Amino acid sequence: MQFLFWLSLALLFYIYFGYPLLAKVVAKVTDYQVQKSGSYEPSVSILIAAYNEANDIEATLRNKLALDYPTDKVEVLVISDESEDGTDDIVREVAEDAAFPIRLFRQAPRQGKTSGLNTLVPEANGEIILFSDANSHWDTQALKHLCSNFSDPAVGYVTGKMVYVNKDGSLVGDGCSAYMKYENWLREQETQIGSIVGVDGGIDAMRRELYKPLRADQLPDFVQPLKVVEQGFRVVYEPEALLKEDALNDSDSEFSMRVRVSLRALWALKDMKQLMNPLRDPVFAWQMISHKLLRYGAFVPLILLAITALMLAPMKAIYTLAALGYIVFMTLAWAGHKQEKEGKSLSALLSIPYYFVLLNMASYKAFMAFLRGEKKVIWNPRKG
């Protein structure tokens, strides 16, 4: 029992603190800087998959039309996944007076985002293809910042930085949750090591010739960057390319989204397990195992730590303190959940425990679905 307690504690420390600290050390040693050029402006195709996005698609397209980039080098391709709410008509209306081509494609019957992207890529004319969600608003300079990275021939895929905004467009605090600050810092370290192992999905770019068609059930935000690494190119993080997303105060929507993403990520890890072979690339295999595989499985040592701490509490003071610490942490998480349900903003004291528990509960639920063989292919718009 004591061995399980200390093993679980050590694993959790490694997953959330040990790996980031080691990544920082390795980044200092390797320091693979991207050779950017702000004057590099390749032709681009922005791809958007949409299903019943009538509430958001016009604003998203107007946002792309406002990007600071030569209009003769931009096109937008939208695929409507059998939308039934007038999304297609809105896209056509915006396209009529657009400064650059906006082309609409329709997918029927409904097949999901991944199939939609597989259809769009062969139709794209740009040297660089970019992926935007149907409700993603980019900063006006985002496209330039993303493309500047492709002046480095070793770079194959670039992801931007998501920030949360209020309804009036102003940043929520500094725009990032504590979790995203942590993830973005880690992405900076991994970029200096060589490649990152996680992207945002709503503001990504890649060389068109590197795109690999995926199965409908595969998660493009996860598998496609790994396919780029497999081809010998780098996947990097560009913190100046901002994706502005409305802040949600809906824990049910957040939880459902995290379960869905986690489930598809688990299948992606299975599909791309060859990249976790240390004989192929020991550094990237270490990154994949530490940042993704162990992170998604962190609920296991978390549960073991709770059980062993509570059972060992009567034996020694250190286990008693651990049990009390666990109870306090979970109490803070529950308080954070209640406050969010009431529409109140959360302090870091409540938001960190709450979000930590939410992520691990989502991973647990996704893992159970993974064991049952469940897969997610289609999606519904995320409501604010």
Side-chain angles (χ1 to χ4, degrees):
M1 193 67 68
Q2 292 182 61
F3 172 76
L4 286 176
F5 172 87
W6 291 107
L7 178 63
S8 300
L9 186 62
L11 266 174
L12 288 169
F13 179 84
Y14 174 76
I15 292 167
Y16 292 104
F17 300 102
Y19 169 66
L21 291 172
L22 283 174
K24 177 69 174 176
V25 172
V26 176
K28 286 282 189 184
V29 174
T30 52
D31 196 15
Y32 289 137
Q33 294 292 334
V34 178
Q35 304 304 309
K36 300 186 210 177
S37 172
S39 62
Y40 186 66
E41 295 178 336
S43 59
V44 302
S45 300
I46 302 172
L47 313 185
I48 302 174
Y51 167 69
N52 285 354
E53 295 283 0
N55 292 333
D56 296 305
I57 194 66
E58 180 176 358
T60 298
L61 293 175
R62 299 289 180 198
N63 170 257
K64 301 304 179 286
L65 288 167
L67 293 171
D68 182 10
Y69 203 81
T71 54
D72 62 333
K73 294 185 176 183
V74 185
E75 65 174 357
V76 173
L77 281 65
V78 180
I79 188 156
S80 172
D81 196 19
E82 205 176 18
S83 297
E84 305 163 331
D85 65 343
T87 293
D88 299 23
D89 293 333
I90 295 170
V91 174
R92 292 189 191 98
E93 288 171 14
V94 176
E96 285 178 3
D97 61 353
F100 50 72
I102 296 177
R103 295 192 279 152
L104 175 67
F105 299 79
R106 186 167 176 85
Q107 181 170 258
R110 212 177 153 201
Q111 298 171 58
K113 177 180 180 179
T114 308
S115 291
L117 295 179
N118 287 340
T119 299
L120 289 184
V121 171
E123 303 291 337
N125 297 311
E127 302 165 64
I128 304 299
I129 53 175
L130 298 103
F131 308 109
S132 168
D133 291 335
N135 63 346
S136 293
H137 289 197
W138 297 356
D139 181 76
T140 54
Q141 300 298 312
L143 188 48
K144 280 190 173 182
H145 286 303
L146 287 170
C147 288
S148 68
N149 291 268
F150 291 105
S151 62
D152 187 333
V155 172
Y157 197 109
V158 185
T159 191
K161 175 182 179 181
M162 185 182 72
V163 293
Y164 290 113
V165 296
N166 296 303
K167 292 296 183 184
D168 62 2
S170 61
L171 289 180
V172 177
D174 65 357
C176 288
S177 65
Y179 171 74
M180 284 311 302
K181 287 180 192 173
Y182 170 83
E183 277 296 302
N184 290 334
W185 178 86
L186 190 49
R187 285 173 182 168
E188 289 176 356
Q189 312 314 311
E190 290 180 338
T191 295
Q192 290 178 303
I193 292 171
S195 285
I196 64 174
V197 293
V199 303
D200 265 318
I203 184 164
D204 289 357
M206 68 178 291
R207 297 184 189 276
R208 185 175 46 131
E209 69 269 18
L210 298 181
Y211 183 89
K212 297 294 183 184
L214 304 178
R215 297 194 316 270
D217 62 282
Q218 289 183 305
L219 178 64
D221 308 346
F222 196 163
V223 178
Q224 202 60 247
L226 295 180
K227 293 282 188 183
V228 169
V229 171
E230 193 174 39
Q231 294 174 76
F233 289 82
R234 296 179 64 189
V235 178
V236 301
Y237 169 61
E238 175 49 72
E240 298 300 318
L242 300 182
L243 161 64
K244 300 177 180 180
E245 192 160 294
D246 289 340
L248 286 183
N249 293 314
D250 181 353
S251 58
D252 292 335
S253 294
E254 182 76 18
F255 183 73
S256 297
M257 182 271 291
R258 288 293 167 190
V259 171
R260 185 177 70 251
V261 170
S262 298
L263 175 58
R264 298 188 78 183
L266 289 171
W267 284 110
L269 285 170
K270 182 177 184 293
D271 291 340
M272 302 301 291
K273 59 183 179 296
Q274 66 273 18
L275 294 183
M276 291 186 280
N277 180 359
L279 297 179
R280 180 193 174 278
D281 182 340
V283 174
F284 194 73
W286 164 65
Q287 290 177 244
M288 280 272 288
I289 292 167
S290 301
H291 194 165
K292 291 301 179 183
L293 183 63
L294 292 180
R295 179 82 71 81
Y296 282 116
F299 66 88
V300 176
L302 191 63
I303 292 170
L304 279 175
L305 184 67
I307 293 171
T308 54
L310 292 170
M311 292 185 71
L312 292 169
M315 290 177 54
K316 286 184 181 179
I318 190 168
Y319 300 124
T320 306
L321 286 173
L324 288 173
Y326 172 80
I327 292 168
V328 169
F329 189 85
M330 295 303 291
T331 301
L332 292 172
W334 177 249
H337 171 68
K338 284 190 68 177
Q339 280 205 17
E340 187 180 69
K341 280 287 189 184
E342 294 167 3
K344 299 176 182 176
S345 59
L346 304 183
S347 66
L349 181 65
L350 299 182
S351 65
I352 292 174
Y354 165 62
Y355 204 68
F356 179 85
V357 172
L358 181 144
L359 286 173
N360 279 285
M361 287 179 65
S363 292
Y364 168 78
K365 187 172 180 180
F367 184 72
M368 293 298 106
F370 175 78
L371 292 180
R372 292 192 298 269
E374 293 181 19
K375 293 185 177 183
K376 298 287 185 183
V377 174
I378 59 174
W379 82 103
N380 291 307
R382 192 178 173 193
K383 302 300 182 186

